[in-house]
Amino acid sequence: MDESELSRSGKVNPMTNTMDAVVSGQDSASAEPDIVPAADHVAFTYHTTAGDRPIPGDITFEIGRGEFVSLVGPSGIGKTTLLRVLSGLMRPTAGEVRLDGQRVTEPPRQLALVLQDYSRSLLPRYTIEKNVALPLSAAKVNRRDVRERTATALAAVGLAADVDKYPWQLSGGMQQRVAIARACLPAGDFGHGRTVCVRRRPDPVRPRGPGPAPPPRVRHDGPAGDARH
Amino acid sequence: MRVVQWVVAVAGELWFAVAVLAAWWILSSGSTSFYFPPLSEIWARFRELWLFEQVPTDVWPSLRNFSPAIALSCLIGIPLGVLLGSLRTLQQIVSPVLSFGWALPKLALLPAFIAIAGIGDGMKVAFIVAGAIWPILLGARDGVRAVDPALRDMARSYRLGRAATIFKVLLPAAAPQIFAGIRTSLAIGLVLMIVGEMLVASSGLGYFVLQAQQSYALVDMWAGALLIGLLGYLINLLFSTLERVVLRWHFARRALHAG
């Protein structure tokens, strides 16, 4: 990528003001296989009436277990597009995205996505408890487990007291934490440290224990933001 | 305290209507015109007719056609609208036909309905549906099309499945527009109900009003018109209440953002 850069580091920077993130966690059922997201000559082009608009293309990389990856670049360069392609929400126009050697065509089960528009991704009709529980309920997890795990997740992001509130009654930061709790929940469980969470500056969420592959991230504050931290 | 607030709210809502009625009552009280009888006479007749002697013969037949027609319009219109809103290609293909169906004055179809379905209750229900279904269908379609892409991404990335996506994400998000569609359908349905009864019926409110006019019972005619107006108002009121209950989250959220 010419203008964006993919930076790697072994540890999580607690001060990052992350906006989008792909969180890959491990399914508690699967034993020990590493979750290795990989991109193989991935390119994406928007076909618009104003002409084709490619994002910087031919991206190839592999992310290993325990690696933490940030994706940095100026706005409009295609960071979110790349994340949408990596997560299976959009097909690449060239190349291939793989997770554990499997080609990604739809959002895979082991992947959790916290979108940039976190507040718009919450359902206004449901309390935050129901919002967080939704993916589990859809996955046919039994009701008692859903309630327990939801409570743990919301407690982990510091929203235990607000379970009965609606998303639109919360601040933007709190809404983001709801989205994070929802993203982390199906992948693992908070109590035993299999989950990777995204942190946000004002109200850090602590991942517990040694997690599996940490998330590649898109940072919308660019390299200048790096210098600040 | 709440009672006082409620009384103030109701008074705020109704004072103008009461003033209009009072003006009508006073201005018409000395009327000797055959066409504009005093409101006091209309009211007296209204009570004789509608409380509740003629209710089974004239009001009930009307509602018996109207209610299932609206229910049927919802049952067909909402799923069809959701389908069209979800499948862009399909919606592009049928959109001209929809616009035509919506624009066509349904009264133009009445002769065809009579020819095909006769003059029974089934025909009247079908006729009301033919007019009332459009706003519901289009409301559902537009509501689903306008669902926030972030919500669609969420549903896909969490693999919610088709049923959960439709019932937990798409329908609630489209609900405000669906309700707006139903509200319009109620008004259209009422008009078609009355017209249908005026032209082909031997009972119902439309039949009653026209019959009264043709037999020079103008007081009866006015009493019937008054009842039809009140009925429309009450249906709307009932529906607003239902809307406020079902879409409580929507109104609460909007109030919060406005305030």
Side-chain angles (χ1 to χ4, degrees), chain A residues 38-40 42 85-88 92 95-99 102-105:
Chain A
D40 192 356
V42 163
V85 170
L86 288 180
S87 61
E96 188 172 289
V97 177
R98 284 189 301 268
L99 184 66
Q102 296 276 336
R103 184 177 188 155
V104 172
T105 51

Side-chain angles (χ1 to χ4, degrees), chain A residues 84 88-89 106-109 111 113 115 120-126 134-135 138 168 182-183, chain B residues 148-154 156-160 164 167-169 172 246 249 252-253 256-257:
Chain A
R84 287 174 59 88
L89 283 172
E106 270 290 300
R109 216 162 49 85
L111 188 92
L113 198 59
L115 295 152
R120 280 162 47 207
S121 78
L122 299 172
L123 298 169
R125 193 171 65 117
Y126 293 135
L134 187 64
W168 36 270
R182 181 176 62 181
Chain B
D148 199 313
L151 281 181
R152 292 178 187 277
D153 281 354
M154 185 278 289
R156 270 184 70 201
S157 71
Y158 288 113
R159 295 159 297 273
L160 290 192
F167 288 106
K168 298 195 164 159
V169 180
V246 176
W249 56 273
R253 180 193 190 196
L256 196 72
H257 284 279

Side-chain angles (χ1 to χ4, degrees), chain A residues 172-194:
Chain A
M174 289 159 101
Q175 289 179 25
Q176 187 183 25
R177 282 186 276 155
V178 176
I180 291 168
R182 181 176 62 181
C184 294
L185 199 49
D189 70 273
F190 275 78
H192 301 92
R194 274 188 177 277

Side-chain angles (χ1 to χ4, degrees), chain B residues 208-218 220-221:
Chain B
F208 175 88
V209 172
L210 192 70
Q211 204 59 27
Q213 183 253 322
Q214 284 171 349
S215 52
Y216 299 101
L218 290 203
D220 284 15
M221 178 194 81

Side-chain angles (χ1 to χ4, degrees), chain B residues 8-33:
Chain B
V8 169
V10 169
E13 170 112 336
L14 289 182
W15 70 268
F16 188 69
V18 171
V20 169
L21 276 178
W24 184 6
W25 188 283
I26 292 162
L27 291 176
S28 70
S29 60
S31 169
T32 51
S33 159

Side-chain angles (χ1 to χ4, degrees), chain B residues 18-167:
Chain B
V18 171
V20 169
L21 276 178
W24 184 6
W25 188 283
I26 292 162
L27 291 176
S28 70
S29 60
S31 169
T32 51
S33 159
F34 177 67
Y35 300 105
F36 298 103
L39 181 57
S40 50
E41 273 180 42
I42 298 173
W43 174 240
R45 195 69 186 120
F46 185 95
R47 281 195 318 202
E48 283 169 36
L49 287 170
W50 310 129
L51 305 177
F52 294 89
E53 196 172 316
Q54 301 265 58
V55 168
T57 50
D58 290 307
V59 182
W60 172 239
S62 293
L63 293 179
R64 204 180 49 203
N65 293 335
F66 180 76
S67 324
I70 293 298
L72 214 57
S73 299
C74 291
L75 281 177
I76 303 170
I78 295 173
L80 221 55
V82 171
L83 188 75
L84 286 176
S86 312
L87 305 174
R88 201 200 301 193
T89 337
L90 181 67
Q91 116 84 15
Q92 274 168 349
I93 295 170
V94 301
S95 146
V97 178
L98 288 186
S99 307
F100 180 78
W102 173 217
L104 176 74
K106 305 317 165 281
L107 287 179
L109 291 177
L110 187 56
F113 270 90
I114 295 169
I116 296 165
I119 57 167
D121 282 353
M123 185 285 280
K124 274 173 235 150
V125 171
F127 180 58
I128 298 174
V129 170
I133 196 171
W134 301 101
I136 301 177
L137 197 159
L138 298 180
R141 182 196 69 179
D142 295 345
V144 167
R145 263 203 307 194
V147 170
D148 199 313
L151 281 181
R152 292 178 187 277
D153 281 354
M154 185 278 289
R156 270 184 70 201
S157 71
Y158 288 113
R159 295 159 297 273
L160 290 192
R162 192 163 295 165
T165 302
I166 290 174
F167 288 106

